[in-house]
Amino acid sequence: MHWRTWKCTRLGKGLLAAVLACGTVSGGSQSAYAVSGAEGRGLESMVEQFHPPQTLTGKGASELEQLAYSLGVQAYLYGYPLLVMEQTEAEMLKSRAPINRFYYSDTLASPAYRDIVTPNSSTLYFSAWLDLSKGPVMLNVPANPSGRYYTVQMLDAYTNTFHNVSNRSMKNKRGRVEIAGPSWYWKTAHPKIVAPTNTVWLLGRVEVDGKQDEGRAASFEKQFTLKPLHGHKELQGMKKLSAVPVPDLTKQPLAFYQAMTDAIKRNPPPPGDQVLLDQFKLFGIDPAQGFDAKALNPAVVAGLVRAAPEAQRIIEAAGSWVPKANGWAVGYGIGTYGDRFLERAVVAYSGLGANVPSEELYARADADGSGMPLTGKHNYVLHFGKEQLPAATGFWSLTMYGPDMFLVPNSLQRYAIGDLTEGMKYNADGSLDIYIRHAPPEGNMSSNWLPAPEGGFHLVLRVFAPKPEMLDKRYAVPPVQRQS
């Protein structure tokens, strides 16, 4: 079992937000970071010294070990999203753009594109990591006379989406928005957004109306710029941050708690979480003092070592708990989580960067309407009645993913289908049939064909800027119907 890195060591198939498969930076390789040097060797020796096999099984464990185990699981679930964000930031700062600067992608995602988990193939992405500890940052937004859909999603260090700047909020006009950290107070003539943490991830999406629109969309995207401010003067010499060491849990289970403790110190949580953090302090997870495994009772160490991999398995298994309708799980409650710490962890694991439903509504299916797994061995149709078509101020798309949650190669080079798809044909009564299959359909059905792989696959429906009737939980995505 490995820690889930930015290059997407996927520990399993996920819940809600791989439903929720939002297509945000998380990646594709199977490597994992490990704590290095004397620190890593010290923790490894601690495990060997204090943990004979009987304590790792939990049989005969003391009450203290059991309590440490229980709180350790809770701490892991709480801290997991924070560490996923820290490692994502460190990797992107090394390979994409420095702090407080945008990185722009200028082509739509294809099967060769492995930077992100469950990428959508209908928008270009641009992103930036902000450090607001030294002052606010100004976001410059271009005029949008064509009314092109866009959003700049803002996430805090705990993966909560606290704001979206969109074509609707800006009324397609040019403007400036100043973003500041939680303790920074200033007067400005521009709209002001106060972030919950000094670390902020900006994740932008820009609509692309077909391949022929890609260049225009890329030009528009690059008009979004950032200007770091300090006393309204640009900060000079902003450097890339060093990588945050994150443990390989098969070797360094205690290192998670050390990294978590340090991360909380850098980005304190909201005051309402303090009652939970006070419990964590009982076993050394104390941002004010730092985590020191050598100072802990051996029974506490044993409980924490047991807790880390068990908590990871809980996150992996939670996907089976999500309720479905017609085979679809719909993400009505994601993007901001309050005290729903397990849900927050699962979304960080399976769909980091999921937006709030009012901006982007996600639904995921890995089974047909009868509950059987989707596979390219069969042919399917997804039928939308005229009144069942997704209602969007922006647009909607249905994207095909293989078992690894990446886009699937196909002869048509079509990875998604939706209301922006050129040539898609509606029925005489206004309804729509989408044909989901591995082999090309006969006749004139290819205009509505979403190619599938030979084996298992997943579908993700995205509704960008959904209309209010999509958000009242009465809308049901029709079932994927097996034809053969």
Side-chain angles (χ1 to χ4, degrees):
M1 181 190 305
H2 288 294
W3 174 259
R4 178 187 185 276
T5 70
W6 174 80
K7 289 188 176 291
C8 192
T9 301
R10 292 190 60 81
L11 301 177
K13 300 299 184 291
L15 164 90
L16 202 59
V19 157
L20 303 175
C22 47
T24 55
V25 179
S26 298
S29 80
Q30 297 297 314
S31 62
Y33 286 93
V35 175
S36 60
E39 177 190 36
R41 291 191 295 273
L43 287 173
E44 206 164 29
S45 65
M46 286 286 294
V47 175
E48 294 172 356
Q49 178 181 354
F50 288 127
H51 311 305
Q54 64 268 24
T55 63
L56 292 178
T57 66
K59 294 180 180 179
S62 69
E63 290 82 358
L64 183 61
E65 180 184 338
Q66 287 292 81
L67 183 57
Y69 166 78
S70 176
L71 288 176
V73 168
Q74 295 181 57
Y76 190 103
L77 298 178
Y78 182 88
Y80 178 86
L82 184 59
L83 264 68
V84 171
M85 286 285 279
E86 288 227 339
Q87 192 174 29
T88 302
E89 177 187 18
E91 284 300 305
M92 291 186 70
L93 292 178
K94 287 195 300 183
S95 62
R96 297 306 189 200
I99 200 80
N100 293 349
R101 292 290 183 271
F102 275 128
Y103 166 79
Y104 308 95
S105 63
D106 27 41
T107 58
L108 290 172
S110 72
Y113 189 70
R114 310 293 284 189
D115 281 357
I116 63 177
V117 176
T118 57
N120 84 70
S121 195
S122 301
T123 70
L124 297 180
Y125 291 104
F126 58 104
S127 65
W129 290 88
L130 307 185
D131 176 7
L132 303 176
S133 63
K134 296 179 175 63
V137 172
M138 182 180 289
L139 169 65
N140 298 294
V141 178
N144 185 28
S146 66
R148 183 186 297 272
Y149 171 84
Y150 72 79
T151 184
V152 182
Q153 179 187 3
M154 302 183 185
L155 298 99
D156 68 15
Y158 294 82
T159 73
N160 290 295
T161 298
F162 61 90
H163 197 79
N164 274 274
V165 171
S166 69
N167 57 312
R168 299 178 316 290
S169 68
M170 298 298 291
K171 299 181 180 179
N172 292 315
K173 296 180 180 179
R174 179 181 178 181
R176 296 178 176 181
V177 177
E178 292 191 20
I179 310 166
S183 60
W184 196 270
Y185 300 95
W186 80 107
K187 293 182 179 180
T188 176
H190 307 291
K192 177 177 67 173
I193 298 169
V194 178
T197 58
N198 281 319
T199 295
V200 170
W201 186 17
L202 300 185
L203 184 55
R205 300 170 177 87
V206 167
E207 172 190 346
V208 180
D209 189 3
K211 193 71 176 177
Q212 74 285 349
D213 186 45
E214 204 170 57
R216 291 188 294 271
S219 297
F220 174 72
E221 167 195 53
K222 291 173 183 176
Q223 296 177 55
F224 290 85
T225 60
L226 295 170
K227 183 179 180 182
L229 303 173
H230 186 206
H232 297 280
K233 294 181 181 178
E234 187 168 358
L235 290 169
Q236 301 295 325
M238 298 293 289
K239 297 182 179 180
K240 298 179 182 179
L241 299 180
S242 59
V244 178
V246 182
D248 175 346
L249 294 179
T250 60
K251 299 178 180 179
Q252 318 282 344
L254 290 177
F256 175 92
Y257 301 105
Q258 179 171 331
M260 168 188 168
T261 303
D262 295 342
I264 292 174
K265 184 175 183 179
R266 286 187 289 272
N267 283 288
D273 292 0
Q274 191 58 50
V275 64
L276 187 59
L277 297 180
D278 286 344
Q279 303 303 306
F280 299 159
K281 289 179 183 179
L282 296 173
F283 298 113
I285 303 170
D286 185 349
Q289 302 297 325
F291 182 83
D292 182 7
K294 295 179 181 179
L296 298 177
N297 183 290
V300 170
V301 174
L304 294 180
V305 167
R306 276 202 298 134
E310 287 296 326
Q312 184 61 53
R313 283 190 282 271
I314 289 171
I315 293 172
E316 294 174 27
S320 63
W321 308 339
V322 178
K324 296 181 179 180
N326 292 336
W328 295 89
V330 183
Y332 287 114
I334 66 165
T336 183
Y337 306 97
D339 60 2
R340 292 176 288 125
F341 302 127
L342 174 59
E343 185 173 354
R344 186 176 73 179
V346 174
V347 174
Y349 159 71
S350 58
L352 179 65
N355 212 334
V356 292
S358 59
E359 190 61 49
E360 191 174 348
L361 183 64
Y362 310 97
R364 175 181 175 242
D366 53 17
D368 62 23
S370 64
M372 298 300 293
L374 296 172
T375 172
K377 296 178 181 179
H378 304 296
N379 298 333
Y380 304 91
V381 64
L382 178 59
H383 175 79
F384 289 99
K386 182 179 180 180
E387 303 302 322
Q388 290 179 303
L389 288 166
T393 302
F395 61 98
W396 64 268
S397 67
L398 180 71
T399 307
M400 169 68 63
Y401 299 100
D404 60 358
M405 296 304 293
F406 289 104
L407 299 173
V408 176
N410 62 81
S411 59
L412 197 59
Q413 296 186 2
R414 177 182 289 166
Y415 314 113
I417 194 168
D419 60 354
L420 296 181
T421 301
E422 185 176 1
M424 190 166 64
K425 297 177 181 179
Y426 291 78
N427 301 319
D429 61 358
S431 65
L432 175 68
D433 292 311
I434 296 176
Y435 303 101
I436 304 164
R437 54 194 295 174
H438 177 63
E442 299 176 355
N444 61 359
M445 296 190 298
S446 60
S447 60
N448 292 25
W449 174 37
L450 180 60
E454 291 182 329
F457 63 85
H458 306 268
L459 296 171
V460 174
L461 176 69
R462 294 177 174 87
V463 185
F464 295 87
K467 291 184 177 179
E469 58 262 36
M470 297 291 294
L471 301 174
D472 62 7
K473 299 185 180 181
R474 290 184 296 174
Y475 175 80
V477 184
V480 178
Q481 299 173 341
R482 176 176 162 179
Q483 293 184 304
S484 65

